[in-house]
Amino acid sequence: MLKPATTDIEALKLLDERLRWLSAWTIHHANHIRDSDDGLKVGGHQASCASMTAIMAALYFHALGENDRVAVKPHGGPILHAIHYLLGSQSREALENFRGFGGAQSYPSRTKDKIPVDFSTGSVGLGVAITLFASLVQDYLTAHGWLEDKDRGRFVALIGDAELDEGNIYEAIIEGAKHDVRNLWWIIDYNRQSLDATSADRMFERFDEIFRSCGWRVVELRYGQRLQKALGENAWLKSWFEQLSNAELSALHYQGGAAWRKRIEGELGKKAAAFLEAHDDEALAKLLTDLGGHCMGTLVRAFDDADDDVPTLFIAWTIKGFGLPFAGHKDNHAGLMNPTQLAALRDAMGVREGHEWEPLEGVGDNARTGVDALLDRTRVAREKRARAFGSVAITPIPAPADDEQSTQAAFGRILLDLSKAGGDLADRIVTTSPDVTVSTNLGAWVNQRGLFRRTDMPDIFAQSKIVSAQKWSGGNKGQHIELGIAESNLFLMLAAAGLSGDLFGTRLFPIGTLYDPFIARGLDSLNYACYQDARFLLVATPSGITLGPEGGAHQSINPPLIALGQPGLRHYEPAYADELAAMIEEAFRLIDHPAGESTYLRLSTRNIRQVERADDSWREDALAGGYWLREPVPGSEAAIVAMGAVMPEALAAWEELRGDVPGLGLLAVTSPDLLHRGWTAAQAARWQGQRKPSHVEQLLSRLSPTAGLVTLADAAPASLSWLGGVLGQRVAPLGVETFGQTGNLADLYSAYRLDGAAITEAVAEVLLQNG
Ligand SMILES: Cc1ncc(C[n+]2csc(CCOP(=O)(O)OP(=O)(O)O)c2C)c(N)n1
Ligand SMILES: [Mg+2]
């Protein structure tokens, strides 16, 4: 293999220094130099950056190929900005405005940063794991003929060592082992410090074992070349050095050469005399801080050697705050250099005062050519890639015709029909589920389209002629990615597949299914997917106490409230199959539209009689969040407002009460989320002189201003009770506020007040209050 020339190593070292300086300076500028009018601390993580500049220099200016994608640990964000600054793809203005409005973001952000960011990071652990799912998506696209070999790359995660405490990492590598993932480099900045202090010693070798048992190669970069040599020549020093705890090591790194000397003298006495004699304090400190993650030669060699596709974990030993005055100090996580310390660093790095922003300040004339050559050669994308939208024709989705059906069954039917009809859209759908494929009604789709596996997986039961409704064979043309039960993985899978247009230029239509209550298990990953504007369809079913005999552990209550507060995710909750078909069609459109978003469908297993429709006039309103299923008489004093699976109770109550309550209306809410957004957007627009009322205002203004609304949902009542705030109408909210339990529907609806009697009482209550 071609080894890089020595001059490259020297140039890389200079770039490492530039990154250390520019990241420290960017943070310093934001905290100490930029005007602050609100008195808020700006913050930033100089120590976390200094820890990883050598790793990132070696990676970006040497090892990365043009198709490689990187998730940078959140607190290393300023280094990524510095890299793009050196490459000419980040502006000084954005750096001067680091952590300011419109400036470079604190943590790398795909959507908000102007430089190309492959994966957003921030919530530790998630940026690591998404690279694994992105690699799986790459294999999926290749297998399906959408990605040529020359466009394939490697997925790199730059990881803080404390991130290894996040369980989602292990869930991901277990899933990855099942799918034989490859082309992954996970590089740990092993500075043995977290946010609060130094990290525990004992887990270290265990991490190693865990990764190896999941099929990873583990490469430990403990020592730099000089220290390696010194320890090789002095076995006594090596054994002494290696028994130091994380805390002891960090403290010594902080205290410096004299402290090392005293400690070694005290503990090793005569044995160490000659060695100590040969090193003054400065040389001693320099030698003993020569850890693998700071040694360019070690890093370059390790990256060059890992030239196959085996998933590889690099454990690069580093010192948090390397080269800064608080290096190794346990409290340095959010530490900021004061102006005097910064000035000392500036002088030490050969940066002239007033020239701090000059990209190659401090690099001597002789070295410039080498550095420039490396910058020119760097194959990292320098421009933000255009997002790939609008490439797929969304065909109409017909609704299944049965007189009685559940939304969950209708979902399965719609996918089956799509699969049989074929076409571009159907071919681009990729489904995924954490071990609830069959019980969420994806089974028929999987029978048609098969499981995705890079190598063929026969259906042993079918081959053995054992009768089963479910085919379970896999191959590289399969369109269902079966996951183990780990909901966080589901959302990371959806995030990666939902970014396939951005990462690979080919849009997929990812559909993930899970039980509604278990959204909560993967919530941060779901938020993470939305934060990056990944596009997918999430189908959560079954939901609510309508699940009956399954009991309280499976009956979801609050997901509509979660959805109400979740940007980037549109909640739809259909009652009928034709609404569902319209919503799925809309969800596909939103996946492939630049201004779109992801969709969350909350479905149910309850079989309900479908309504007769005179025409399609309900459709547009249903997609906007709600429609009058039974029109009120204008100025009516009351309406029932219901959502989803409890619609039969609402309809029955409406039938029963319409004689006594003239003009009573029945509003079917299909998306509290959309209604609420429309309402607040209309208010904001009014301030700008636009007068158009929102959809919910239009719907509710059909009633009297003093009308009473009885809201009904198999969910937390707050999902709908806010509707009273729109026009100031009175509300009697019905819904589920305590944990569910087993029972039949009649018993449960009665106990939780979702039945006709409860609706009648509530209508009486709001009418009485009016009188
Ligand atoms: C899910 C989550 N929990 C907590 C935090 C707050 N936090 C930010 S960094 C950090 C620890 C950083 O340690 P490490 O990963 O070792 O990074 P280093 O700065 O040492 O490189 C914590 C707890 C977070 N960002 N995300
Ligand atoms: Mg750390």
Side-chain angles (χ1 to χ4, degrees):
M1 187 195 321
L2 211 65
K3 295 284 174 222
T6 351
T7 49
D8 280 357
I9 299 284
E10 290 311 314
L12 284 169
K13 284 186 191 166
L14 291 168
L15 286 166
D16 165 17
E17 283 195 11
R18 296 311 304 143
L19 297 182
R20 192 146 7 105
W21 165 254
L22 282 168
S23 55
W25 171 247
T26 302
I27 296 167
H28 181 81
H29 182 276
N31 284 276
H32 291 279
I33 297 176
R34 195 168 72 217
D35 285 342
S36 152
D37 1 281
D38 57 10
L40 281 184
K41 179 189 165 196
V42 178
H45 302 84
Q46 290 171 327
S48 304
C49 288
S51 187
M52 209 175 54
T53 51
I55 294 172
M56 286 184 71
L59 190 68
Y60 278 83
F61 300 119
H62 173 74
L64 278 191
E66 60 190 326
N67 299 321
D68 296 348
R69 303 278 182 266
V70 190
V72 178
K73 77 171 184 185
H75 302 79
I79 311 175
L80 184 65
H81 290 291
I83 288 171
H84 279 280
Y85 186 59
L86 293 181
L87 292 174
S89 37
Q90 175 59 296
S91 69
R92 172 169 164 180
E93 192 191 359
L95 295 189
E96 284 179 335
N97 200 12
F98 172 63
R99 292 187 166 222
F101 192 66
Q105 300 294 297
S106 327
Y107 310 120
S109 165
R110 281 188 62 80
T111 54
K112 298 184 190 71
D113 273 318
K114 298 192 177 66
I115 56 168
V117 171
D118 300 324
F119 302 99
S120 302
T121 53
S123 179
V124 298
L126 300 181
V128 181
I130 194 175
T131 58
L132 182 147
F133 292 97
S135 166
L136 188 54
V137 172
Q138 173 171 266
D139 281 344
Y140 182 92
L141 293 175
T142 304
H144 285 254
W146 284 314
L147 192 70
E148 290 185 44
D149 277 347
K150 69 173 179 46
D151 297 323
R152 289 169 58 85
R154 182 176 273 144
F155 295 84
V156 183
L158 293 164
I159 311 171
D161 57 321
E163 291 194 66
L164 288 174
D165 285 330
E166 288 289 3
N168 83 273
I169 289 183
Y170 305 98
E171 293 183 353
I173 60 173
I174 290 169
E175 195 59 57
K178 295 183 207 164
H179 290 275
D180 197 14
V181 286
R182 46 193 178 148
N183 296 304
L184 286 162
W185 276 6
W186 284 5
I187 306 169
I188 299 173
D189 172 359
Y190 191 59
N191 61 27
R192 294 147 289 114
Q193 282 186 241
S194 57
L195 186 155
D196 283 332
T198 51
S199 39
D201 298 274
R202 288 285 149 218
M203 265 317 285
F204 175 56
E205 279 169 18
R206 300 286 172 274
F207 289 135
D208 205 332
E209 289 162 12
I210 294 168
F211 274 82
R212 280 190 222 278
S213 67
C214 285
W216 287 61
R217 168 172 54 209
V218 178
V219 178
E220 191 184 353
L221 309 176
R222 183 158 186 175
Y223 300 118
Q225 290 165 336
R226 278 176 303 118
L227 184 54
Q228 178 87 45
K229 184 161 176 286
L231 297 183
E233 288 164 359
N234 300 285
W236 53 270
L237 183 61
K238 186 164 195 281
S239 51
W240 176 81
F241 193 88
E242 291 187 349
Q243 54 78 45
L244 292 172
S245 68
N246 285 341
E248 285 173 312
L249 254 180
S250 293
L252 285 165
H253 287 319
Y254 175 69
Q255 290 170 305
W260 281 108
R261 181 178 305 280
K262 194 158 163 232
R263 186 80 190 263
I264 294 173
E265 251 168 9
E267 291 183 23
L268 298 167
K270 276 203 214 118
K271 230 191 287 183
F275 172 79
L276 291 177
E277 185 105 344
H279 295 85
D280 63 15
D281 283 355
E282 201 188 327
L284 198 58
K286 203 158 180 228
L287 180 68
L288 294 174
T289 54
D290 181 34
L291 300 184
H294 299 304
C295 173
M296 201 52 78
T298 301
L299 287 165
V300 162
R301 171 153 305 193
F303 291 157
D304 285 347
D305 284 350
D307 62 351
D308 51 17
D309 65 4
V310 177
T312 303
L313 179 77
F314 296 94
I315 303 174
W317 282 61
T318 56
I319 295 162
K320 192 155 172 170
F322 184 71
L324 308 186
F326 39 56
H329 196 293
K330 72 176 178 56
D331 302 337
N332 67 10
H333 181 73
L336 294 172
M337 281 180 275
N338 63 33
T340 315
Q341 292 171 319
L342 194 281
L345 181 74
R346 185 182 59 219
D347 293 344
M349 291 198 145
V351 172
R352 290 164 297 164
E353 196 172 355
H355 294 254
E356 292 87 349
W357 286 116
E358 273 179 35
L360 295 186
E361 176 70 4
V363 177
D365 288 346
N366 292 345
R368 287 239 168 181
T369 326
V371 170
D372 282 337
L374 269 190
L375 291 175
D376 287 344
R377 237 178 37 209
T378 295
R379 284 169 294 170
V380 174
R382 298 172 190 212
E383 303 298 330
K384 237 174 153 53
R385 293 172 207 99
R387 304 190 67 185
F389 284 113
S391 52
V392 183
I394 310 294
T395 42
I397 309 280
D402 298 351
D403 292 342
E404 272 197 19
Q405 49 187 320
S406 70
T407 47
Q408 174 170 321
F411 163 67
R413 180 77 219 188
I414 287 170
L415 273 195
L416 174 63
D417 291 346
L418 249 174
S419 168
K420 286 184 172 163
D424 194 22
L425 174 62
D427 290 347
R428 282 171 191 259
I429 290 174
V430 54
T431 55
T432 181
S433 184
D435 200 22
V436 288
T437 299
V438 177
S439 51
T440 54
N441 270 38
L442 266 180
W445 158 268
V446 176
N447 279 345
Q448 292 286 319
R449 296 279 168 156
L451 298 166
F452 171 69
R453 292 276 158 161
R454 275 204 288 126
T455 44
D456 284 350
M457 184 191 86
D459 183 344
I460 301 293
F461 276 70
Q463 285 181 351
S464 314
K465 307 234 172 336
I466 299 173
V467 178
S468 163
Q470 189 65 57
K471 291 185 207 153
W472 207 249
S473 60
N476 72 0
K477 291 289 179 276
Q479 282 180 252
H480 176 73
I481 299 180
E482 176 73 3
L483 302 172
I485 327 171
E487 286 71 16
S488 172
N489 281 342
L490 169 76
F491 292 120
L492 292 172
M493 182 73 241
L494 288 174
L499 289 175
S500 97
D502 306 62
L503 293 172
F504 306 102
T506 299
R507 188 147 293 282
L508 291 174
F509 289 75
I511 302 178
T513 67
L514 87 171
Y515 297 175
D516 197 47
F518 305 133
I519 285 179
R521 175 71 77 103
L523 199 50
D524 195 26
S525 302
L526 170 61
N527 178 60
Y528 179 64
C530 294
Y531 182 69
Q532 305 198 64
D533 199 17
R535 302 290 178 80
F536 51 86
L537 169 58
L538 176 66
V539 179
T541 184
S543 62
I545 62 166
T546 302
L547 189 51
E550 275 285 304
H554 281 47
Q555 295 165 345
S556 63
I557 297 171
N558 65 7
L561 291 182
I562 291 173
L564 204 50
Q566 178 62 58
L569 188 69
R570 175 181 298 197
H571 168 206
Y572 277 133
E573 187 150 344
Y576 301 112
D578 54 2
E579 294 171 5
L580 174 68
M583 290 164 183
I584 291 179
E585 195 181 313
E586 185 71 358
F588 288 149
R589 212 169 279 127
L590 292 167
I591 285 174
D592 203 28
H593 192 278
E597 60 185 329
S598 291
T599 301
Y600 152 52
L601 292 173
R602 187 169 186 255
L603 307 186
S604 162
T605 41
R606 184 182 188 192
N607 243 343
I608 66 175
R609 175 154 291 284
Q610 304 295 296
V611 278
E612 308 242 324
R613 308 276 193 196
D615 52 38
D616 263 358
S617 56
W618 57 274
R619 192 184 153 106
E620 195 183 330
D621 278 5
L623 290 179
Y627 66 99
W628 286 107
L629 185 57
R630 295 291 179 258
E631 289 280 345
V633 168
S636 167
E637 284 299 331
I640 300 169
V641 179
M643 175 165 78
V646 288
M647 204 58 76
E649 279 60 37
L651 259 178
W654 179 84
E655 288 287 353
E656 200 177 305
L657 292 169
R658 58 198 274 224
D660 297 335
V661 186
L664 180 69
L666 170 54
L667 181 65
V669 171
T670 47
S671 176
D673 178 24
L674 276 187
L675 293 181
H676 198 284
R677 285 195 229 172
W679 176 39
T680 50
Q683 283 177 324
R686 277 199 276 279
W687 283 99
Q688 289 159 0
Q690 292 163 29
R691 291 263 139 228
K692 192 171 179 303
S694 63
H695 184 49
V696 68
E697 288 165 316
Q698 289 179 25
L699 289 169
L700 294 177
S701 61
R702 308 279 291 280
L703 307 170
S704 150
T706 56
L709 310 175
V710 172
T711 61
L712 179 73
D714 183 357
S719 315
L720 297 178
S721 60
W722 61 269
L723 286 166
V726 176
L727 299 179
Q729 289 151 334
R730 194 182 312 282
V731 174
L734 298 175
V736 182
E737 280 182 300
T738 54
F739 288 115
Q741 56 189 298
T742 54
N744 64 33
L745 277 193
D747 290 341
L748 289 172
Y749 281 3
S750 160
Y752 289 83
R753 300 195 73 236
L754 295 177
D755 62 355
I759 300 172
T760 307
E761 281 167 26
V763 170
E765 164 106 6
V766 288
L767 287 176
L768 272 180
Q769 284 172 351
N770 268 358

